[in-house]
């Protein structure tokens, strides 16, 4: 298959592109390689992918997309809940303008099936756990979550108006090797290994459905390779279906590093949800999605990679 992966230098995009290349697909990667976090990490990911068709481009720029593909795996976005408090325009450009550009490209022959990234952030704090795809998602507490919910609505309209086959994926706190430096598990590991205190919000009682990258990639490959069927626009939760507290996360990192954390309890910034918890019934039914890697196993894998990457 010919597959376009946007955000190919990003965390999930890199792992997805690597898996699809290994399975013999003709993968084209596209990424802006911006400075939201260290571009050296993004370039290192691209180097791991070896020689493949990569194009550095901004999906929000006119003319960034070209060619024709069987599937577009659209993972490019401005990520992060807290950065939106400082730079909301980054999210408007990347997540709204960029998504609309991808929709137009796909609509006019760019691909027969568009698979795109949404987020558990669309649910906010008013959804009963576990979160199901059919629950209302009209009160996101972060601007990032609002843009991802807007992506879903934009995609639904394109499916209804133009028959564009689409699959939206609500990711739940994905973690693992080659991850994002703005995520708590990375920040905590770095601070613990370097003997610095770590800021802990909500007394460490916030709960997250931490989902290991390999489980996400297994699902992505299956969804990309399976011919689209059913509703023209579909939504799926992809989570571990087992929320754990930030205190649990810290304890697991302490065991994996062999060091004690120095905790600095603080009031959290606005935009954080209290809990994320994925109902994965729909993905299990349609794609056999069954997460296998628990947090107590995934975090030590990340810590091992982190030590090697930083020579610690």
């Amino acid at each position: 298959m010919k597959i376009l992966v946007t955000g190919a230098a990003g965390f999930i995009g890199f792992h997805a592109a690597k898996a699809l290349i290994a399975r013999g697909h003709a993968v084209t990667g596209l990424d802006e390689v911006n400075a939201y976090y260290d571009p050296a990490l993004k370039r290192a990911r691209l180097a791991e992918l070896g020689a493949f068709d990569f194009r550095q481009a901004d999906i929000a720029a006119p003319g960034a997309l070209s060619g024709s593909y069987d599937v577009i795996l659209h993972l490019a976005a401005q990520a992060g809940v807290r950065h939106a408090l400082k730079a909301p325009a980054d999210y408007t450009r990347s997540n709204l303008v960029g998504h609309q550009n991808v929709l137009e490209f796909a609509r006019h022959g760019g691909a027969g099936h568009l698979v795109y990234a949404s987020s558990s952030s669309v649910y906010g704090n008013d959804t009963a756990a576990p979160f199901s795809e059919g629950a209302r998602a009209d009160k996101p507490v972060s601007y990032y979550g609002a843009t991802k919910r807007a992506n879903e609505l934009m995609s639904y309209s394109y499916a209804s108006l133009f028959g564009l086959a689409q699959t939206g994926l609500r990711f739940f706190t994905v973690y693992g090797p080659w991850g994002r430096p703005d995520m708590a598990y990375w920040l905590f590991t770095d601070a613990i290994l370097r003997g610095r205190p770590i800021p802990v919000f909500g007394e460490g009682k916030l709960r997250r459905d931490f989902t290991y990258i390999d489980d996400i990639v297994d699902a992505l490959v299956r969804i990309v390779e399976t011919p689209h069927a059913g509703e023209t626009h579909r939504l799926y939760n992809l989570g571990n279906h087992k929320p754990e507290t930030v205190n649990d996360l810290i304890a697991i990192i302490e065991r994996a590093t062999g060091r004690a954390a120095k905790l600095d309890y603080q009031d959290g910034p606005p935009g954080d949800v209290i809990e994320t918890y994925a109902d994965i019934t729909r993905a299990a039914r349609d794609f056999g999605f069954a997460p296998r890697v628990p947090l107590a196993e995934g975090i030590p894998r990340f810590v091992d990679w982190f030590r090697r990457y930083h020579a610690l």
Side-chain angles (χ1 to χ4, degrees):
M1 297 173 68
K2 290 183 64 179
I3 303 168
L4 174 64
V5 179
T6 73
F11 172 38
I12 300 176
F14 154 71
H15 282 282
K18 185 176 182 180
L20 292 167
I21 291 169
R23 293 176 66 83
H25 296 291
V27 175
T28 295
L30 187 148
D31 200 292
E32 183 184 10
V33 194
N34 67 24
Y36 168 61
Y37 58 80
D38 188 359
L41 174 60
K42 300 177 183 182
R43 289 192 291 268
R45 292 179 184 137
L46 291 173
E48 285 285 310
L49 294 176
F52 83 115
D53 182 15
F54 175 74
R55 305 169 189 177
Q56 186 167 347
D58 174 7
I59 59 167
L65 301 163
S66 61
S68 181
Y69 304 91
D70 299 302
V71 179
I72 297 173
L73 179 55
H74 175 39
L75 303 174
Q78 175 58 59
V81 168
R82 292 169 191 153
H83 181 65
L85 296 171
K86 300 181 295 182
D90 291 353
Y91 295 75
T92 300
R93 177 175 173 80
S94 294
N95 299 3
L96 300 183
V97 177
H99 190 71
Q100 200 270 333
N101 283 350
V102 172
L103 287 169
E104 275 292 285
F105 174 66
R107 170 197 171 193
H108 291 290
H113 182 197
L114 171 59
V115 181
Y116 69 92
S118 185
S119 169
S120 61
S121 294
V122 303
Y123 287 111
N125 281 324
D126 290 344
T127 307
F131 305 162
S132 69
E133 296 89 344
R136 291 184 63 175
D138 56 358
K139 294 182 179 179
V141 297
S142 67
Y143 185 60
Y144 167 70
T147 63
K148 299 310 280 186
R149 180 58 177 148
N151 288 168
E152 296 177 355
L153 297 175
M154 294 159 72
S155 284
Y156 181 84
S157 69
Y158 266 69
S160 299
L161 292 169
F162 310 116
L164 178 60
Q166 296 176 74
T167 303
L169 305 173
R170 292 173 173 173
F171 295 129
F172 282 69
T173 316
V174 186
Y175 73 98
W178 295 101
R180 282 187 10 226
D182 62 325
M183 298 288 284
Y185 68 93
W186 177 300
L187 295 169
F188 292 174
T189 299
D190 186 56
I192 290 171
L193 287 173
R194 300 179 193 275
R196 298 195 305 263
I198 60 177
V200 181
F201 306 135
E203 300 180 335
K205 296 177 183 178
L206 301 178
R207 286 159 52 92
R208 294 290 179 268
D209 202 347
F210 298 101
T211 314
Y212 191 66
I213 184 62
D214 288 3
D215 290 327
I216 291 293
V217 170
D218 287 348
L220 288 178
V221 168
R222 190 166 298 186
I223 291 166
V224 165
E225 291 183 340
T226 302
H228 187 282
E231 296 176 282
T232 310
H233 179 255
R234 313 174 300 183
L235 286 172
Y236 294 97
N237 289 332
L238 293 182
N240 198 45
H241 191 59
K242 189 180 185 299
E244 299 180 72
T245 68
V246 171
N247 286 330
D248 294 331
L249 171 66
I250 293 168
I252 293 169
I253 296 174
E254 287 179 318
R255 291 196 295 272
T257 59
R259 302 187 186 184
K262 300 176 182 178
L263 306 181
D264 178 17
Y265 290 104
Q266 301 179 7
D267 293 331
D272 275 358
V273 295
I274 297 169
E275 176 183 43
T276 63
Y277 184 1
D279 180 342
I280 58 174
T281 303
R282 186 179 294 184
R285 178 197 68 200
D286 291 354
F287 299 105
F289 179 57
R292 299 185 302 275
V293 182
L295 191 64
E297 184 179 330
I299 286 295
R301 295 184 191 178
F302 167 75
V303 171
D304 287 347
W305 171 84
F306 188 91
R307 287 183 184 273
R308 292 195 305 273
Y309 183 76
H310 291 283
L312 292 174

